[in-house]
Amino acid sequence: MCELIDKYFIAVSGTVLTLSFGGFITWRIYTKKRFIEAADKFRNVIYTELEGLYPTPAKWPSRDMDIIKILKDKFPKLEIAVTEFSLHLGRFKRKRFDSAWQQFNREYYFDYIPISGQTVEKGVCTYSYDYTKTYHDNFKRNVDALLDFAK
């Protein structure tokens, strides 16, 4: 038996290595194909749900506070798309993707309303914000950050 193994060792090991490499390539192609399909589906949901708001705010509501209701109505479909797509990302990319999703949904969408103000504690201004000129840019930047993962 040992003589057979010695005689055909190179042939057997070459065959095993070739089959292993072929299996790896097949697995890699399948994984990449699934990612591309998931990314396409994710992008389509984002573009469909945010039509008129992204990439150009052509249908931005005339009343400033209406954007909150619009985005809250679209939240369930967007959340499903985000959850399904995140399954196709690696651990570290998924963590960054979840962070981008939380940034998009931060503070009930107040980043997307033209408001300004400041927080005062004990007579000292601790935080000030002004979204009167940047609220469209905030929205576009946050959606772009989500879509960057679907490239």
Side-chain angles (χ1 to χ4, degrees), residues 17-18 39 42 45 68 77-78 92 122 147:
L17 286 175
T18 303
F42 177 68
V45 169
I68 293 174
K77 289 183 182 177
L78 293 174
F92 298 111
K122 298 180 182 177
L147 291 175

Side-chain angles (χ1 to χ4, degrees), residues 92-150:
F92 298 111
K93 276 191 176 181
R94 185 179 306 150
K95 192 172 183 178
R96 290 193 332 254
F97 181 71
D98 290 341
S99 176
W101 174 241
Q102 289 173 357
Q103 180 69 27
F104 176 80
N105 288 313
R106 197 177 84 194
E107 295 181 21
Y108 301 106
Y109 309 111
F110 282 114
D111 286 355
Y112 315 133
I113 300 172
I115 58 175
S116 64
Q118 58 186 0
T119 303
V120 178
E121 292 181 15
K122 298 180 182 177
V124 177
C125 178
T126 57
Y127 176 74
S128 64
Y129 55 91
D130 184 10
Y131 300 134
T132 55
K133 294 182 175 111
T134 61
Y135 63 103
H136 289 297
D137 295 334
N138 291 342
F139 183 77
K140 185 172 182 344
R141 183 181 60 247
N142 289 338
V143 175
D144 284 342
L146 285 172
L147 291 175
D148 280 345
F149 290 92

Side-chain angles (χ1 to χ4, degrees), residues 2-134:
C2 290
E3 293 173 4
L4 276 173
I5 291 174
D6 287 343
K7 186 175 181 181
Y8 296 108
F9 177 75
I10 293 178
V12 170
S13 60
T15 303
V16 168
L17 286 175
T18 303
L19 292 175
S20 298
F21 184 70
F24 173 75
I25 295 297
T26 303
W27 172 79
R28 184 73 180 124
I29 290 171
Y30 176 71
T31 304
K32 191 73 167 169
K33 181 181 175 211
R34 284 183 43 218
F35 175 80
I36 290 169
E37 290 170 354
D40 287 343
K41 183 178 177 183
F42 177 68
R43 275 192 305 270
N44 288 338
V45 169
I46 294 290
Y47 287 135
T48 302
E49 291 300 314
L50 300 179
E51 182 180 1
L53 302 174
Y54 178 83
T56 55
K59 295 181 183 175
W60 200 268
S62 57
R63 290 184 40 208
D64 296 334
M65 296 301 281
D66 287 347
I67 192 65
I68 293 174
K69 183 178 181 333
I70 290 169
L71 292 176
K72 282 185 178 181
D73 290 343
K74 295 178 182 298
F75 177 79
K77 289 183 182 177
L78 293 174
E79 184 179 37
I80 290 169
V82 164
T83 303
E84 288 177 354
F85 179 66
S86 70
L87 298 175
H88 297 278
L89 296 172
R91 181 186 323 169
F92 298 111
K93 276 191 176 181
R94 185 179 306 150
K95 192 172 183 178
R96 290 193 332 254
F97 181 71
D98 290 341
S99 176
W101 174 241
Q102 289 173 357
Q103 180 69 27
F104 176 80
N105 288 313
R106 197 177 84 194
E107 295 181 21
Y108 301 106
Y109 309 111
F110 282 114
D111 286 355
Y112 315 133
I113 300 172
I115 58 175
S116 64
Q118 58 186 0
T119 303
V120 178
E121 292 181 15
K122 298 180 182 177
V124 177
C125 178
T126 57
Y127 176 74
S128 64
Y129 55 91
D130 184 10
Y131 300 134
T132 55
K133 294 182 175 111
T134 61

